[in-house]
Amino acid sequence: MLHVHHNGVGLCGVYTFEVAETKVTQVMEFSRKHQHPLQCIMEKQ
């Protein structure tokens, strides 16, 4: 968490495309619902 605070980004996991897509959707929906500024993106590594 402190890493993200200082650097603006951080790696939180490495998943298959389908799993990553689901997790990004879940995080973004939860974040919006609870009015958190959290952003989550998926990048190919």
Side-chain angles (χ1 to χ4, degrees):
M1 196 162 149
L2 193 55
H3 175 81
V4 173
H5 179 71
H6 289 298
N7 300 303
V9 295
L11 176 67
C12 66
V14 178
Y15 304 99
T16 62
F17 179 83
E18 292 81 10
V19 172
E21 190 174 42
T22 301
K23 289 185 180 293
V24 168
T25 301
Q26 290 174 335
V27 167
M28 293 304 293
E29 285 177 1
F30 183 89
S31 176
R32 280 189 210 111
K33 181 178 177 182
H34 293 88
Q35 299 177 342
H36 293 292
L38 179 65
Q39 293 294 311
C40 183
I41 61 169
M42 184 171 66
E43 293 181 353
K44 189 172 183 176
Q45 196 172 23

